[in-house]
Every structure is written in C-alpha cells, then in structure tokens.
Amino acid sequence: MYTMRDFLGFFLGAAITAALIVLLLPPSPCGGVVPAGQELQASSDIGSQLAADPSMKKLDKVQATNKDNLVELLRSAAMEDGTIIMTFTNEAWTLPGSLLDVFLESFRVGVKTQALLKHLVIVAIDGKAFERCQHVHPLCYSLAAANANFTAEQPFMSKDYLDMMWTRNKFQARVLALGHGFVFTDVDIVWFRNPLLRIPVAADIAVSCDAFYGESPYDLNKSTNGGFLYAKPSDRTLAFFRDWYEAGKRFPWHHDQTVFDQVKHDLAARHSVMVQYVDTIYLGSQCQPRWMDYRNLCTFHANCLIGLHNKTERLVGVLDEWKRFKAEKELLGSNSTMLVN
C-alpha cells in the first residue's frame, strides 16, 4: 500500500524534473529573420511572439479579428522560395463588381497568371471585407487596425488614407520578419503576365514608378509608386523597412511612397540594399497611358484617377481590351510570341 508520504514524494520529484527540463531547453531564437517554414510556438497572437525580436520593437503590434493564423497562412501561400503575393482591401473595394472582382478576374484571363492565385493573400482591414473575401478567395487574412475605421472609400491623402498606407507598411515589415518575401500589389491593378519575371535576382527591393526615364533601373532618381512593391527577405531589407517606417514620423501628413523618395538613397546605402525600379513598359499606369503596349505589359495600375467608380470603370475597360488582344493573338496559334512571358 502506498502511503501519503509516497504520493507527496512522487509529485515533488515530478515537479523538480519538469523545472530542470525547462532550464535545460535552448533559448528560442530572436533577432533577424525567421526562415520561411520554421515552426513558431503556437499562440493566438503572433504579434506577441515577435515583440521580443529586436527587429520588430519599433513596429506596433497588429491583431487579427480572429485567431491569428498568419504564420500558417503565409506558409500555405508561399512559392518555393518563400515569396507570396499580397494585396490590401476594405469593404468598399470588395463590393460585388468592384475592384476586388476585377483584380481577381485579371489573374484568370492573364497569361500563366491563374496559377499565381494560390500564392495570393488578401489582407482585409475590416470585418465586411474579410467576410466578402472568404466568398471569393481561399487565402484571406483579417487585420484589425486599432482606433481606425477603413471600411469606406478613403479620399486620397486624407488622414484615414495615410493611416491605412502606414498600416500596410508595418504589415509588410511583419511579413519580412516572418521570413517571407512578397510582391505587394494594389487592388486597383490588373495582371496580364507574371511581373516577377521582370525582377532580377540581384534586387532586394523592386518598385514601380509613374515615369521611367534614363537607362538604368538602379538609378534612384525616379518618382516612386508604391502600388507595386517587391521585397526579398533578409535582415538588411527588414532594417530598410523598419527605418522607412520610422522616417515617416519625421514627415507628418506624407504618403509612405513620398517618404520612400526622401530616404531611399540614405537607407539603401546604410543597409546595403539594392533597390530597382521596374520599367513602365512592363508595369503600366494611368499616369502614363500612352505607353500601354499589351505585347509587353505585365500589369496596369488605375492610379491618377479619383474615385472608386472611375477606377473600376477604367480597369474593366482595360481588361476588355486585353481580352480582345489575347483572343486575336490566340488565333495566330500557340507559337505567337505576343503571349509569351
């Protein structure tokens, strides 16, 4: 028969053993970039895990409206090299027949772009946008912005608009900190071909511009358009994004892309980051519509247009033009170089 003293001795020994195991466990990694696919300790708040990471101390903690499954979501969306495609959307942009529908349709009618949808993460910044996203796409992430309401169409350069842009910037840094590269695309962009094929492996950051002049894509004396942005995951790139966000505090009431132009020379040199601009012949925009050439275009951006209705109407028209172009070239047979990436 076991005595009470025996039971007490057993439980005391078990407690001491558990304490020794905890003390002998190696410390969890912090600092730097978490490699894509590396397991993180399960938690309902990934932001709290990253709080101990020095590279993320300057970033506000971002909460999801549901259980935060960002690590798992990014892993499931990642390409072989860990890169994802992502866009941001709100209630106004996700209404049936609005920007999100046109955006998704472009992937389905582009050249070898439909397969890219399995790598696309749609970040919804309000509840209605998240609900709508779940009806039209399998990879949706609900991002709750503290003390902000981004559901309605945001007037360009209004306070809510600027807050939304900087929220986006912080989230991009968060993705990098989790070890994933990304292609960010505004939802008012339609895709015809894979733009990643136009980004050299040497680029740490590649970004669109409204006017491409000069011969070198690495000449930083161009005006940035943050509607298309590629970032390669590394400590250097993450440091660039962190300091970019911090620089925004020195330029109140400025767009993130305006601040980028103010600090890009210094940050690129300080962190040894290779920044490239992508030629507008591949990334077209409404700001330069005369250069539209469907033989080369990878994407088209409905910027330089005011109002959700005008943007949507323009993109529907552009997509119709693309469908006619594609149909004509397909009549020439599969050897038509016009439809080759």
Side-chain angles (χ1 to χ4, degrees):
M1 296 292 292
Y2 292 108
T3 66
M4 181 60 69
R5 179 178 298 177
D6 294 326
F7 280 111
L8 290 175
F10 170 77
F11 286 119
L12 179 60
I16 293 173
T17 301
L20 287 173
I21 290 174
V22 171
L23 290 173
L24 292 174
L25 283 174
S28 59
C30 64
V33 176
V34 179
Q38 179 173 315
E39 294 292 340
L40 294 179
Q41 182 180 357
S43 170
S44 62
D45 179 15
I46 300 301
S48 64
Q49 299 170 358
L50 297 176
D53 185 337
S55 64
M56 294 297 290
K57 283 183 177 178
K58 296 180 182 179
L59 299 177
D60 294 340
K61 183 164 64 176
V62 183
Q63 297 282 353
T65 55
N66 58 331
K67 182 178 180 180
D68 197 329
N69 63 336
L70 181 59
V71 172
E72 179 183 350
L73 184 65
L74 294 179
R75 187 182 298 119
S76 64
M79 303 177 190
E80 289 185 3
D81 65 352
T83 302
I84 66 156
I85 303 169
M86 67 174 167
T87 192
F88 267 51
T89 188
N90 67 0
E91 179 181 350
W93 300 337
T94 56
L95 293 173
S98 191
L99 290 176
L100 182 60
D101 283 350
V102 182
F103 174 75
L104 292 175
E105 183 186 2
S106 72
F107 281 84
R108 300 184 186 107
V109 300
V111 177
K112 300 179 182 178
T113 51
Q114 184 161 354
L116 296 176
L117 286 172
K118 65 184 178 182
H119 305 298
L120 171 67
V121 174
I122 299 175
V123 181
I125 54 179
D126 63 72
K128 289 292 186 181
F130 182 63
E131 180 182 341
R132 167 65 178 160
C133 178
Q134 291 181 303
H135 287 292
V136 297
H137 190 66
L139 300 171
C140 303
Y141 182 72
S142 180
L143 179 67
N147 302 318
N149 183 355
F150 298 139
T151 59
E153 179 183 356
Q154 303 299 329
F156 183 68
M157 296 305 291
S158 66
K159 181 183 183 302
D160 284 346
Y161 175 86
L162 292 173
D163 287 346
M164 187 164 60
M165 294 301 101
W166 287 108
T167 297
R168 183 180 79 181
N169 180 271
K170 288 188 291 184
F171 186 80
Q172 290 168 347
R174 187 181 178 196
V175 171
L176 288 173
L178 289 172
H180 290 275
F182 65 81
V183 177
F184 172 80
T185 169
D186 273 346
V187 76
D188 63 340
I189 291 179
V190 287
W191 287 46
F192 309 120
R193 297 177 177 87
N194 185 355
L196 277 169
L197 300 178
R198 299 298 179 183
I199 299 173
V201 294
D204 296 304
I205 294 174
V207 63
S208 58
C209 55
D210 291 331
F212 188 93
Y213 40 83
E215 297 181 357
S216 173
Y218 297 102
D219 175 9
L220 298 187
N221 295 313
K222 297 177 176 65
S223 180
T224 301
N225 182 322
F228 179 96
L229 177 64
Y230 164 80
K232 181 185 298 182
S234 70
D235 291 327
R236 295 177 295 105
T237 308
L238 181 58
F240 184 107
F241 268 74
R242 182 187 64 225
D243 287 351
W244 175 12
Y245 176 75
E246 287 297 304
K249 299 175 182 178
R250 305 199 307 268
F251 300 94
W253 295 101
H254 279 70
H255 198 294
D256 60 329
Q257 67 188 24
T258 305
V259 175
F260 184 94
D261 280 336
Q262 295 289 333
V263 301
K264 59 189 176 184
H265 292 86
D266 174 58
L267 296 188
R270 183 190 310 172
H271 300 299
S272 299
V273 168
M274 185 69 73
V275 180
Q276 183 218 8
Y277 283 93
V278 184
D279 198 323
T280 51
I281 194 173
Y282 305 119
L283 303 184
S285 76
Q286 182 64 26
C287 297
Q288 250 190 342
R290 63 185 181 279
W291 295 113
M292 286 184 63
D293 183 349
Y294 289 113
R295 295 171 298 178
N296 295 296
L297 271 180
C298 296
T299 66
F300 177 82
H301 190 183
N303 56 348
C304 294
L305 285 172
I306 298 175
L308 176 58
H309 174 76
N310 290 333
K311 286 178 176 288
T312 306
E313 186 176 62
R314 176 57 173 150
L315 289 180
V316 169
V318 168
L319 209 53
D320 286 342
E321 292 174 9
W322 163 254
K323 291 175 184 177
R324 289 194 294 271
F325 170 84
K326 185 181 176 186
E328 292 172 359
K329 301 311 172 186
E330 286 174 342
L331 289 176
L332 299 177
S334 58
N335 292 327
S336 174
T337 59
M338 301 298 183
L339 294 179
V340 176
N341 279 302

